[in-house]
Amino acid sequence: MKYCFSVFFVVFISLTIFAQEKLPKSGVVDSLYKEDHFYATMTYNLLTNTPVGLRQRGFSLGFNLGYLKDMPVNKARNKAIAIGLGYSTNSYNHNILISKDANGVFLYNIIPEGSSFSKNKISTHLIEVPFEFRWRTSTPTDFEFWRIYAGFKVGYLLTHTTKYIGDLGSFKYSNNPHFDNFQYGLMVSAGYNTWNIHVYYALNPIFSEQAKIDGARIEMSTLKIGLMFYIL
C-alpha cells in the first residue's frame, strides 16, 4: 500500500503541475472541443452498515487513476456523457478479526476490548468502469470552469489482503472467497477548475453473504469522500 501511495503521489503531483500550465494560444477556436479525459482521486474511506461493535481506527485511504472518454451531447458542448476505465486501491482499518479455524474456514469476530493490536486492515485493488453524466460551464476558449459530474461505477476485485498483527497472533490472507468480486455504487464530483469534491457511495457490501459475525451477515459497505482531479 505504501508503494501504491508513492506512485499515486508522484503521478498526482505531475498531473497537477501539467494541468496548471497555460496552454499556448494558437488563435484557432476548437468548436468540437472535449473536456476532462484523465482523472485522479484521493479519498478517505468510511465503513457504513457496520456490525455492532465495529470501529475504524487510523486512516483508511483510497486512490484512483483512470481515463474517461468525453462525449458532448449538445451544441454548446457543456453537457456530456463519459465512460472510462480506471484502477483503484483502497485500505480499511478496523477492529474485525479475520482468521481461520482448524478446517481452513474463515471466521469473523469483533476484537475484544482491551486486546491490543498494531495492524488490522483490509487492502483491495480493483479495475473500475465509471460512467458519468456531465454538466459544466466550459467554452471552446475557457479552460477554467465549474462542473458537476454525477454517475456510477462498477469495479472488479483483482486482489485483496487482510492482515492482523496483535495480541491474538499474526494473520495475513489473500485467498478469502467471501469477498464480493464486484463492487458498484453512485458517485458525484463537483467543483471549479483543478480541485473538485468527490463522493462515492457503494450499493453493495464488501463481503458476500457467507461472511458472518455470530450468525449475522456482515453487510458493511463503503462511503468515500475526497478530492477528484481532472485534466484533458
Side-chain angles (χ1 to χ4, degrees), residues 85-188:
L85 183 66
Y87 162 77
S88 173
T89 180
N90 301 276
S91 67
Y92 305 93
N93 295 285
H94 54 88
N95 66 335
I96 294 179
L97 176 65
I98 301 176
S99 59
K100 286 183 178 181
D101 64 14
N103 297 316
V105 177
F106 280 95
L107 303 174
Y108 306 86
N109 294 281
I110 298 295
I111 297 173
E113 290 289 341
S115 179
S116 176
F117 58 94
S118 60
K119 180 172 291 187
N120 190 53
K121 73 174 184 177
I122 298 169
S123 299
T124 63
H125 301 267
L126 302 94
I127 290 294
E128 297 182 327
V129 177
F131 183 86
E132 293 181 345
F133 300 91
R134 297 177 154 192
W135 173 87
R136 56 205 177 210
T137 60
S138 62
T139 69
T141 58
D142 186 2
F143 299 102
E144 297 181 357
F145 51 87
W146 291 94
R147 63 170 65 78
I148 300 175
Y149 296 167
F152 62 90
K153 64 180 174 181
V154 177
Y156 181 78
L157 187 64
L158 295 176
T159 63
H160 67 271
T161 303
T162 59
K163 188 173 184 178
Y164 169 87
I165 300 175
D167 292 347
L168 302 177
S170 179
F171 311 103
K172 183 178 180 180
Y173 306 110
S174 58
N175 61 340
N176 189 337
H178 296 165
F179 276 82
D180 194 330
N181 288 330
F182 286 95
Q183 296 291 312
Y184 52 89
L186 303 176
M187 60 182 182
V188 62

Side-chain angles (χ1 to χ4, degrees), residues 5-20:
F5 174 79
S6 298
V7 172
F8 182 92
F9 183 78
V10 171
V11 173
F12 192 85
I13 294 300
S14 299
L15 292 179
T16 302
I17 294 172
F18 175 81
Q20 290 178 341

